[in-house]
């Protein structure tokens, strides 16, 4: 791979004439970067598509190519991409429905708006993989027909299709009203009864661990139920009975459904499997009584997921913030807090409550400024990146709390150049600061040069337009390929150097 040319292909400052030259010599890697450019002319997009079909697919999905630009015989993947974008071309659909390449027929089966005769051809395809793809994406009427398909794997795909009619999904769970399946992936390949060894030594075997068939296709039947339980279109009354099912996977599939009645939630709340309880904990279907129960769960993941439940009361959420690692994101309940709740949280004597609300980036100026002077470093760290904080406020944070807040201060979008230079030279150094400074729009050349010593910040800094041109040129021969690509993509790379680099 030519990392210099790959970087140049992504360089926003590359002139059109050099872009033409680069297209003319592009290999697959360079073409992939070129295809992501927003400034390709229609002629350049067509020229690039003729060099690399994978890039042509990307250009299609970006809306840069039309049916008039594609030859379906010479560029089948690009033509299929156009069909995937709902470009109406019955002739192309019929062509690919009988294509000798099974992967192309599979891809066609995922495309929307196919003509009925092409759908009929795909539904009768001799390769079950094609029919499975069709069943996964097709319309309710076709899905209802495929629910009776003799191959159980097709039925599993119908069970996962959210367009499938609720009555059909209910029938797939029980099997009532449907003819018995005749085949599955297991008995297609093995003499039954057969149980696939989880430690199967065969390198070409793609059966799932534990897949089994004794003639009743039991593992695929289990997978059909699991898919239907996860499908939001499956009727509630058809799934609630699985809250006590012996299969952990079926109970787990049920736990995240937002339509669960209280009695099902209560049974799942005491499930022996922590993953089931964790999915339930984040489910808005649970009531306040169960929220309090799960807040005391012994498993950390359950408590962490409960913190992300949009219906969790603020007092419970505050307790969770003190006992569970809930991450730095603004939690749904905090994002939905009313102005009165925001003020109450900001004035709470509990630093965990103040920390939670400090993560919001739409705080009133008075609340933001009060949190910026909080005595607790975790609270200050949470508010430090809030827009609107002045240089004086940011410097005061760093002076009070030092290394605990310098990275967050550097991440503030309005941090001025002089502050970024000082933070990059902070003692003791904080590695995360270098990465924040290296990507900051206000970083100066001096700040960026200080970041170059950090191996993770170096590729980021190499692409910053404030880096001196002579340094950018030197980085084109760096030992780290990521640095080389970033430098070649730097819009401050001198034009004369760009011209010399393009064949």
């Amino acid at each position: 791979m030519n990392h210099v040319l790959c970087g140049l292909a992504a360089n926003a400052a590359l002139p059109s004439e050099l872009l033409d030259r680069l297209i003319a010599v592009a290999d697959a890697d360079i073409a992939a970067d070129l295809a992501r450019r927003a400034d390709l002319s229609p002629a350049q997009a067509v020229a690039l598509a003729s060099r690399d079909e994978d890039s042509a697919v990307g250009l299609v999905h970006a809306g840069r190519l039309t049916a008039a630009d594609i030859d379906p015989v010479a560029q089948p993947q690009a033509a299929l991409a156009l069909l995937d974008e709902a470009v109406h071309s019955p002739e192309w659909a019929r062509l690919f429905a009988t294509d000798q390449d099974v992967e192309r027929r599979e891809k066609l089966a995922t495309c929307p708006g196919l003509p009925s005769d092409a759908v009929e051809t795909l539904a009768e395809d001799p390769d079950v993989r094609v029919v499975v793809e069709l069943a996964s994406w097709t319309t309710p009427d076709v899905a209802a027909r495929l629910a009776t398909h003799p191959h159980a794997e097709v039925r599993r795909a119908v069970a996962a299709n959210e367009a499938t009619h609720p009555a059909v999904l209910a029938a797939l769970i029980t099997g009532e009203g449907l003819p018995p399946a005749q085949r599955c992936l297991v008995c297609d390949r093995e003499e039954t009864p057969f149980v696939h060894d989880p430690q199967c030594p065969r390198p070409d075997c793609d059966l799932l661990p534990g897949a089994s068939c004794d003639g009743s296709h039991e593992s695929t039947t289990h997978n059909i139920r699991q898919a239907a339980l996860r499908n939001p279109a499956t009727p509630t009354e058809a799934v609630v009975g699985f809250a006590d099912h012996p299969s952990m996977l079926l109970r787990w599939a049920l736990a995240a459904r937002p339509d669960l009645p209280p009695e099902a939630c209560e049974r799942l709340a005491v499930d022996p499997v922590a993953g089931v309880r964790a999915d339930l904990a984040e489910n808005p279907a649970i009531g306040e009584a169960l929220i309090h129960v799960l807040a005391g769960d012994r498993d950390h993941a359950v408590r962490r997921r409960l913190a992300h439940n949009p219906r969790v009361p603020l007092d419970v959420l505050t307790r969770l913030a003190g006992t569970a690692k809930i991450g730095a994101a603004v939690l749904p309940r905090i994002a939905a807090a009313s102005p009165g709740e925001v003020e109450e949280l900001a004035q709470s004597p509990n630093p965990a409550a103040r920390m939670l609300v400090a993560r919001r980036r739409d705080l009133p100026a008075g609340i933001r400024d009060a949190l910026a002077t909080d005595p607790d470093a975790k609270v200050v760290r949470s508010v430090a990146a809030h827009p609107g904080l002045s240089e004086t406020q940011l410097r005061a944070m760093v002076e009070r709390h030092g290394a605990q807040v310098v990275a967050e201060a550097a991440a503030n979008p309005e941090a001025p150049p002089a502050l970024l230079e000082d933070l990059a030279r902070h003692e003791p150094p904080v590695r995360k600061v270098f990465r924040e400074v290296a990507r900051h729009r206000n970083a100066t050349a001096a700040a960026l040069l200080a970041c170059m010593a950090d191996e993770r910040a170096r590729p980021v800094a190499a692409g910053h337009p404030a880096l001196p041109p002579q340094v950018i040129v030197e980085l084109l021969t760096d030992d780290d390929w990521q640095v080389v690509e970033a430098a070649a993509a730097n819009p401050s790379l001198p034009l004369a150097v760009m011209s010399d680099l393009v064949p």
Side-chain angles (χ1 to χ4, degrees):
M1 181 185 295
N2 189 321
H3 295 292
V4 170
L5 294 186
C6 284
L8 277 178
N11 194 315
L14 192 71
S16 182
E17 60 271 19
L18 292 184
L19 183 53
D20 286 334
R21 281 164 50 184
L22 199 51
I23 290 171
V25 298
D27 59 15
D29 297 313
I30 297 168
D33 288 304
L34 288 169
R36 289 189 284 269
R37 296 184 65 96
D39 60 346
L40 288 176
S41 69
Q44 287 171 329
V46 171
L48 181 59
S50 69
R51 287 197 61 84
D52 178 69
E53 191 172 10
D54 287 339
S55 297
V57 171
L59 290 166
V60 165
H61 289 307
R64 312 299 295 277
L65 297 174
T66 68
D69 301 320
I70 298 297
D71 178 348
V73 176
Q75 299 165 295
Q77 301 304 328
L80 284 164
L82 278 167
L83 290 171
D84 191 41
E85 292 292 331
V87 172
H88 186 65
S89 180
E91 297 79 9
W92 288 8
R94 296 181 186 110
L95 172 69
F96 290 118
T98 57
D99 196 294
Q100 291 185 354
D101 188 326
V102 65
E103 291 185 359
R104 293 176 189 166
R105 304 199 306 275
E106 281 186 85
K107 177 59 183 174
L108 177 67
T110 70
C111 297
L114 297 176
S116 57
D117 55 341
V119 172
E120 292 295 331
T121 301
L122 293 169
E124 299 296 331
D125 198 280
D127 194 307
V128 71
R129 292 173 293 178
V130 176
V131 190
V132 165
E133 286 297 334
L134 180 66
S136 299
W137 306 101
T138 194
T139 60
D141 289 345
V142 177
R145 286 175 44 207
L146 293 177
T148 65
H149 195 278
H151 204 290
E153 191 65 18
V154 174
R155 301 186 186 198
R156 183 206 54 77
V158 173
N161 186 340
E162 294 185 14
T164 301
H165 193 279
V168 175
L169 291 167
L172 285 166
I173 287 179
T174 63
E176 294 178 6
L178 301 177
Q182 299 173 18
R183 294 179 289 132
C184 70
L185 294 179
V186 178
C187 59
D188 277 349
R189 309 175 194 184
E190 307 289 345
E191 290 290 334
T192 58
F194 178 83
V195 178
H196 187 226
D197 184 355
Q199 307 300 323
C200 178
R202 294 176 294 179
D204 59 341
C205 181
D206 58 0
L207 286 176
L208 293 175
S212 62
C213 181
D214 61 3
S216 64
H217 324 296
E218 63 270 16
S219 64
T220 311
T221 299
H222 181 277
N223 292 342
I224 290 171
R225 289 177 172 173
Q226 187 177 0
L229 289 173
R230 292 189 183 279
N231 193 327
T234 304
T236 305
E237 58 272 18
V239 304
V240 291
F242 287 87
D244 295 318
H245 197 278
S247 168
M248 170 198 71
L249 294 176
L250 297 186
R251 301 194 310 274
W252 206 330
L254 186 64
R257 288 185 63 99
D259 58 347
L260 287 179
E263 58 272 18
C265 293
E266 290 171 7
R267 298 202 297 274
L268 293 170
V270 295
D271 197 280
V273 178
V276 175
R277 303 195 307 275
D279 274 12
L280 181 72
E282 196 171 351
N283 191 335
I286 63 175
E288 189 165 335
L290 276 187
I291 287 176
H292 282 277
V293 170
L294 292 168
D297 197 281
R298 63 187 181 277
D299 190 87
H300 162 74
V302 175
R303 301 194 305 275
R304 178 175 56 80
R305 296 284 295 279
L306 182 64
H308 289 265
N309 190 311
R311 295 183 59 188
V312 63
L314 290 177
D315 62 330
V316 175
L317 185 54
T318 300
R319 292 201 308 272
L320 290 170
T323 63
K325 295 181 179 179
I326 56 179
V330 179
L331 298 172
R333 181 63 182 90
I334 298 298
S338 68
E341 290 173 329
V342 167
E343 186 171 356
E344 181 182 347
L345 287 165
Q347 296 176 355
S348 171
N350 187 341
R354 304 196 302 274
M355 178 188 69
L356 288 173
V357 76
R359 294 172 179 170
R360 283 183 53 154
R361 294 294 175 257
D362 58 350
L363 296 172
I367 291 177
R368 176 202 64 204
D369 293 346
L371 293 170
T373 61
D374 198 280
D376 191 289
K378 292 181 180 179
V379 177
V380 176
R381 187 164 62 234
S382 295
V383 79
H386 196 296
L389 290 172
S390 68
E391 179 176 0
T392 300
Q393 289 173 306
L394 292 171
R395 287 188 181 277
M397 291 178 184
V398 175
E399 184 177 344
R400 288 196 312 272
H401 301 289
Q404 296 180 84
V405 302
V406 288
E408 288 71 21
N412 190 294
E414 297 173 13
L419 175 61
L420 294 174
E421 290 184 14
D422 290 343
L423 295 178
R425 292 191 292 262
H426 185 272
E427 291 294 338
V430 178
R431 293 192 63 184
K432 188 179 177 183
V433 170
F434 298 126
R435 299 194 295 276
E436 295 293 350
V437 171
R439 65 170 64 97
H440 203 290
R441 62 184 179 183
N442 292 336
T444 63
L448 293 168
L449 290 172
C451 296
M452 296 300 292
D454 183 80
E455 61 180 15
R456 294 181 65 183
R458 189 177 175 85
V460 183
H464 199 292
L467 203 63
Q470 66 273 20
V471 175
I472 301 172
V473 174
E474 291 170 4
L475 293 175
L476 294 174
T477 57
D478 197 88
D479 292 336
D480 186 337
W481 68 267
Q482 295 177 92
V483 173
V484 172
E485 283 200 11
N490 194 317
S492 295
L493 184 67
L495 179 58
V497 176
M498 293 186 194
S499 183
D500 289 341
L501 291 171
V502 181

